[in-house]
Amino acid sequence: LEYIGVKLQLEEETVESHAVLKSLKRKPIFLIAATLRPETIYGVTNCWIASNGTYGVYEIIYQSDEWKDKPESEYFIMTPRAARNMAFQGFDGGEFGKPKEILQLTGEQLIGLSLKSPECSFEKIYILPMFNVSTQKGTGIVMSVPSDSPDDYRALLDLKEKAGLREKFHLKNEWVFPFEPVPVVDVPTFGDLSAKVACEKFHVRSQNDVDALKKAKDLVYLKGFYEGKLLKGPYAGELVQEAKAKIKGDLVSQKKAIVYCEPEFPVISRSG
Ligand code: ZZB
């Protein structure tokens, strides 16, 4: 499975005031959000993590010809599992196949940090908890697009509607309330907020309604991909089918995202 890993950069102020991250050397720090929908980047409102998940900060050293004399390095935040896979895909700590882990932290310790997301409609966004983030998939970091992803739509609404949930995770109102879904893709008969329409159609009442959410997600994935038309960015007016690869190419060539592949089944040794 091929994901696009979108690089969400932590803001300097947020790093300097963080108990753990402030000890790091001054380098750009990115949370790597795994997505199958890079064309929805214009509608990102926040970043999701698993609050009880384990994450690591990994130093990534680039040794291309371009940088031979002065290897460039930056920090990626993701699950240890993703770091192990990525170390075989050109994102290692200077040695092929070996991630260079600087420190570990829990998802809870990431909540409330502020980020810049590429091509985002908001100047900065925040890291928030969602129950349906799996640390066994992608990077364990998810970019939230509540206009087009039913999971994201409902989880953000849960945080707005449930004061108890905000208290539980010590969320400030300003991390949650200013962020409304942004129309990004127009889907015939669904309109430009298809996740909301799908959640209503399948009576999704909270982010814990996983069966209804799955139905909503399957439907908008299909409709969005085959019939959706993009509303934002340089490819506005084009079908999602056509624009997707161009946006992916632009993000990767501008180093705003990376390609990350995940083995789909356990790799079995053939030597035995
Ligand atoms: C932005 C986005 C916008 C996404 C959208 C979806 C949609 P799949 O098919 O189940 O693999 N995702 C990525 N990693 C995780 C994770 N570890 N735990 C939970 N969710 C994760 O789904 C891939 C999508 O699931 C990814 O694409 C990501 O959310 C999320 F408008 O990124 B997506 C109808 C879906 N729309």
Side-chain angles (χ1 to χ4, degrees):
L1 192 60
E2 186 188 286
Y3 288 102
I4 303 302
V6 178
K7 295 168 75 178
L8 313 178
Q9 187 167 5
L10 284 176
E11 293 199 306
E12 245 171 69
E13 312 89 82
T14 212
V15 173
E16 280 161 17
S17 56
H18 190 270
V20 177
L21 299 177
K22 70 179 175 200
S23 69
L24 293 171
K25 288 196 203 118
R26 286 176 177 259
K27 292 180 195 302
I29 310 176
F30 300 95
L31 273 80
I32 308 299
T35 181
L36 299 176
R37 303 284 312 269
E39 73 282 4
T40 63
I41 190 107
Y42 309 99
V44 171
T45 58
N46 62 280
C47 168
W48 299 122
I49 49 82
S51 65
N52 56 4
T54 297
Y55 295 88
V57 176
Y58 298 89
E59 187 175 352
I60 308 292
I61 302 181
Y62 299 98
Q63 282 163 332
S64 66
D65 286 347
E66 218 181 314
W67 292 316
K68 214 181 275 156
D69 300 328
K70 184 179 148 290
E72 292 270 311
S73 94
E74 51 195 22
Y75 293 126
F76 282 8
I77 296 182
M78 56 191 153
T79 56
R81 183 184 152 283
R84 276 197 298 277
N85 285 325
M86 238 178 248
F88 290 96
Q89 300 174 29
F91 303 95
D92 58 51
E95 202 182 333
F96 179 77
K98 293 234 160 69
K100 185 172 174 187
E101 187 175 274
I102 307 297
L103 55 87
Q104 282 201 356
L105 66 186
T106 63
E108 201 161 8
Q109 288 176 291
L110 292 167
I111 291 172
L113 293 173
S114 63
L115 300 158
K116 293 240 186 284
S117 182
E119 323 301 340
C120 187
S121 305
F122 301 96
E123 217 214 311
K124 59 164 136 175
I125 57 163
Y126 293 89
I127 301 175
L128 301 172
M130 174 165 78
F131 298 137
N132 299 329
V133 174
S134 162
T135 53
Q136 299 308 309
K137 202 172 101 174
T139 54
I141 314 266
V142 179
M143 66 181 212
S144 168
V145 186
S147 54
D148 291 84
S149 163
D151 284 294
D152 302 349
Y153 174 78
R154 191 57 245 188
L156 187 58
L157 203 55
D158 280 358
L159 294 183
K160 288 182 182 179
E161 287 179 356
K162 297 169 188 173
L165 207 49
R166 295 197 301 279
E167 273 157 32
K168 177 173 176 197
F169 293 108
H170 310 287
L171 307 185
K172 290 189 184 159
N173 288 346
E174 74 236 42
W175 303 344
V176 175
F177 287 98
F179 300 95
E180 286 289 310
V182 177
V184 178
V185 177
D186 188 51
V187 181
T189 74
F190 273 62
D192 59 14
L193 294 176
S194 56
K196 177 176 194 277
V197 175
C199 281
E200 282 160 10
K201 181 178 164 79
F202 293 104
H203 309 289
V204 177
R205 280 181 206 88
S206 90
Q207 61 188 300
N208 298 316
D209 276 354
V210 287
D211 294 336
L213 272 171
K214 181 162 188 331
K215 288 182 196 154
K217 179 173 166 177
D218 288 348
L219 185 63
V220 294
Y221 246 136
L222 213 64
K223 298 262 310 171
F225 184 70
Y226 289 108
E227 302 174 48
K229 212 182 243 180
L230 206 63
L231 298 170
K232 291 255 171 11
Y235 308 109
E238 293 188 21
L239 286 170
V240 166
Q241 275 187 78
E242 294 159 0
K244 193 194 255 310
K246 298 183 199 171
I247 293 175
K248 168 187 160 185
D250 290 351
L251 289 171
V252 171
S253 68
Q254 293 163 12
K255 300 194 161 52
K256 292 173 180 168
I258 60 164
V259 175
Y260 167 61
C261 297
E262 186 143 279
E264 274 166 84
F265 40 81
V267 180
I268 296 161
S269 164
R270 293 208 269 167
S271 60

